[in-house]
Amino acid sequence: MGVDLRQVVAGVLTVTMFVMLIHMIKRDHFDAVDDKLPGTEDISFESTNFETTHVRKNIGIWKGDVDELKPCWVKPSEDSNVEQTEGFVTFSLTNGPEYHISQIADAVLVARSLGATLVIPDIRGSQPGDKRNFEDIYDVDVFMKSMEAVVRVVKDLPSHISTHKIAAVKVPNRVTEDYIAKHVEPIYRSKGSVRLATYFPSINMRKAGKKSDADSVACLAMYGSLELQQETNDLVDSMVERLKTLSRKSDGQFVAVDLRVEMLDKKGCQGSDGDEKSCFNAQEVAVFLRKIGFNKDTTIYVTQSRWDESLDSLKDLFPKTYTKESIIPADKKKKFLDSKDSELEKVIDFYISSESDVFVPAISGLFYANVAGKRIGSGKSQILVPANIPDSSASASRFLSHYVSKKNHFAYSCYC
C-alpha cells in the first residue's frame, strides 16, 4: 500500500506543535511564582531615562568575585597564653548576627586577656523574655573546638557562682588590650567574674596596622568560630538555591539588597543636607540598579521582613523581587517567620546577603560592615553602594564599596 506524502507531513507538524505546546505549559508553570507574589503589577517608570543594557552584555556588574582568600591568622602559641584565673566571663548575643560577630570577638579577647573562662552566651531578641540558647542558631561544638588553646570555654556557669554577684561591665566594640587592663581587669580582680555588654560608639571596621596576637584572636572569633546549626544552615541553603533557580535568565545569579523600611525613618537615616546620603529607599535603589546595567529579569532579594507597599516601586522595574516570606519553604514558615522572633529572620537575611552574587547595602551600618567582612573572606567582593546618578547610565565599578576598593576592612587583616 502506498504512503500518502501529505499525511506524513501533517503527522510531523502535529507532533512538532504538540512538543512546543508542552514547553510553553512548563514555562508558564515555572514562571507562575511571579504571579502569586505581592506587588507583581507592572507599572512603568516612563519619566525615568535608562540606557537599556542586557545583563548578559554587561558581565562586569556581576563579576566582582576573586579567588577565595585564605585565613592568615595564627592561633596564639602556648608561650603567649595568659595565666589561667578562676573567674568567668559571661555575656549575651543581641540584635542579630551582624552584632553577634562583633560581640563574640570582644568577649573572647576579654576572657583571654583576663585568663578567665568564657561561658557560652545565650541569645536575646529585642522583646523582653525573647531568649534562646546558643545552639538554637549556632553550632556549639564548632565554636568550642575553634577556641581550643585560645580560651577555656564552658557551656554553663557553675551552680556555685551566683549571677547576682557578677559585675556588669561595658566595653567598646574592637576593645583593646590596654582598655581591658585599665577598665576591666581591676573590676574582675575585685569581683571574681564579669558580665560583658559591648557598645558601639561607631562602626569600626578599620584594617589593623601591625598585626598582633589580639588581632589574630579577633580574626578567629569573627570569622572562624560561628557556624549555623544544621537546620538553620539547610534553610538558608535552600532559600539561596530557590533564588538561583528563579534567576535562570541571569545564569543563576541574584542580588541581595539590605532595605528595611522601618530603618529609613530612624535618626541615622535622617542626615542633614550637607551629609553624605547613607540610606536609600526602594525607588532610589531601583533607579540605581537600572542605571548601572541590571535589567528587568534580574532577581532581587530584599531583607524587608514582610512586603511593604513602598517596595512596589522596586518591583515595577524588577518584577522578580522577593522578600523571605515569598521563598521560604512552607514547612519552615511557622518556626522562622510566624513566631514573631526577629532573631531568626535576621539570621536568614544576614547569611543570604553574604551568599548573594551582588550585595547592595541601601542602609549604612553594622549589617553592611559585617556582611562585607563575610563576603571578603569568601571572595564575593561585588558590593555596590547606591548613589544618585544624574546621567542615564554609569559603570558599576564606580560604586564598589570602599571596603573592597581600598581594602580597608578589618577582614583584610585576617585573609590573604
Side-chain angles (χ1 to χ4, degrees):
M1 182 175 67
V3 178
D4 189 331
L5 184 59
R6 288 174 298 177
Q7 290 179 329
V8 173
V9 173
V12 171
L13 289 173
T14 300
V15 171
T16 302
M17 292 176 67
F18 181 69
V19 171
M20 291 174 64
L21 180 60
I22 289 174
H23 282 293
M24 290 172 67
I25 292 172
K26 287 173 66 178
R27 183 185 181 91
D28 289 343
H29 175 73
F30 191 88
D31 287 340
V33 66
D34 292 337
D35 300 327
K36 296 175 183 177
L37 300 174
T40 55
E41 298 80 12
D42 290 329
I43 304 173
S44 62
F45 274 45
E46 295 179 356
S47 60
T48 305
N49 180 27
F50 298 110
E51 181 179 292
T52 56
T53 307
H54 194 284
V55 171
R56 291 178 185 276
K57 295 180 181 178
N58 193 359
I59 300 300
I61 58 179
W62 295 107
K63 296 298 181 184
D65 290 8
V66 295
D67 291 337
E68 185 172 343
L69 302 176
K70 302 296 183 184
C72 52
W73 64 78
V74 179
K75 274 193 174 185
S77 64
E78 294 291 339
D79 295 339
S80 65
N81 285 346
V82 180
E83 182 181 351
Q84 190 69 36
T85 59
E86 297 299 318
F88 296 84
V89 170
T90 70
F91 68 112
S92 293
L93 299 178
T94 60
N95 300 319
E98 67 270 32
Y99 285 85
H100 298 173
I101 288 175
S102 297
Q103 291 163 342
I104 282 281
D106 292 328
V108 170
L109 186 57
V110 169
R112 177 175 169 77
S113 297
L114 298 176
T117 298
L118 185 70
V119 180
I120 293 285
D122 58 11
I123 300 174
R124 303 192 181 191
S126 55
Q127 301 301 320
D130 184 0
K131 181 179 174 181
R132 61 178 58 249
N133 295 323
F134 181 87
E135 55 266 30
D136 291 338
I137 293 179
Y138 299 110
D139 189 319
V140 68
D141 293 327
V142 167
F143 178 74
M144 294 187 74
K145 185 172 180 58
S146 72
M147 291 294 111
E148 290 177 357
V150 177
V151 65
R152 190 165 64 186
V153 180
V154 294
K155 291 186 178 181
D156 300 294
L157 191 67
S159 58
H160 68 274
I161 304 290
S162 172
T163 56
H164 298 294
K165 295 182 179 179
I166 296 179
V169 178
K170 288 187 176 182
V171 297
N173 178 225
R174 297 287 299 276
V175 65
T176 64
E177 291 179 302
D178 287 343
Y179 185 97
I180 296 168
K182 184 176 181 180
H183 298 283
V184 182
E185 187 171 355
I187 300 173
Y188 175 75
R189 299 295 180 189
S190 172
K191 298 294 185 179
S193 294
V194 293
R195 178 171 178 79
L196 291 185
T198 296
Y199 67 94
F200 294 80
S202 63
I203 306 301
N204 178 9
M205 285 295 154
R206 66 180 180 274
K207 184 178 179 181
K210 183 179 179 180
K211 284 197 290 189
S212 63
D213 278 351
D215 292 324
S216 289
V217 170
C219 287
L220 171 63
M222 292 180 75
Y223 303 119
S225 71
L226 290 180
E227 289 186 12
L228 295 178
Q229 54 97 327
Q230 194 65 52
E231 182 187 12
T232 308
N233 187 68
D234 289 346
L235 173 63
V236 171
D237 285 348
S238 71
M239 294 175 72
V240 168
E241 286 305 310
R242 176 68 172 145
L243 288 163
K244 289 181 178 294
T245 300
L246 293 166
S247 308
R248 67 193 184 284
K249 289 186 178 179
S250 53
D251 297 328
Q253 300 172 112
F254 71 94
V255 178
V257 177
D258 178 33
L259 174 57
R260 290 156 284 158
V261 175
E262 71 277 6
M263 294 292 292
L264 298 178
D265 295 327
K266 294 196 174 181
K267 185 178 179 181
C269 282
Q270 305 299 314
S272 62
D273 292 339
D275 293 339
E276 184 178 350
K277 191 173 176 65
S278 60
C279 302
F280 293 81
N281 62 33
Q283 181 170 344
E284 291 169 326
V285 170
V287 172
F288 168 74
L289 291 174
R290 284 300 298 271
K291 285 188 174 184
I292 62 173
F294 290 97
N295 72 13
K296 66 181 182 62
D297 292 319
T298 302
T299 297
I300 296 177
Y301 174 81
V302 184
T303 57
Q304 172 69 22
S305 291
R306 302 292 187 277
W307 191 265
D308 186 89
E309 63 180 10
S310 66
L311 298 179
D312 290 348
S313 56
L314 180 57
K315 202 170 186 81
D316 293 340
L317 288 184
F318 299 96
K320 293 183 176 182
T321 296
Y322 307 100
T323 57
K324 63 184 72 63
E325 63 182 333
S326 305
I327 60 171
I328 191 170
D331 62 332
K332 300 295 183 183
K333 186 170 289 189
K334 183 176 181 180
K335 177 176 180 178
F336 286 87
L337 299 189
D338 297 341
S339 65
K340 301 188 184 302
D341 183 351
S342 61
E343 289 298 299
L344 293 175
E345 295 191 28
K346 290 175 183 177
V347 167
I348 293 171
D349 290 332
F350 185 84
Y351 284 89
I352 290 180
S353 296
S354 300
E355 291 294 324
S356 63
D357 298 279
V358 176
F359 174 55
V360 177
I363 301 167
S364 181
L366 197 62
F367 188 97
Y368 162 33
N370 273 332
V371 165
K374 292 280 288 183
R375 294 181 66 92
I376 288 166
S378 60
K380 292 182 175 293
S381 60
Q382 194 71 331
I383 305 170
L384 304 177
V385 180
N388 292 324
I389 303 173
D391 301 321
S392 62
S393 65
S395 170
S397 61
R398 285 175 47 194
F399 306 100
L400 189 65
S401 167
H402 69 87
Y403 286 138
V404 175
S405 62
K406 296 182 179 180
K407 289 183 166 50
N408 60 4
H409 194 285
F410 179 69
Y412 284 107
S413 301
C414 304
Y415 292 96
C416 49

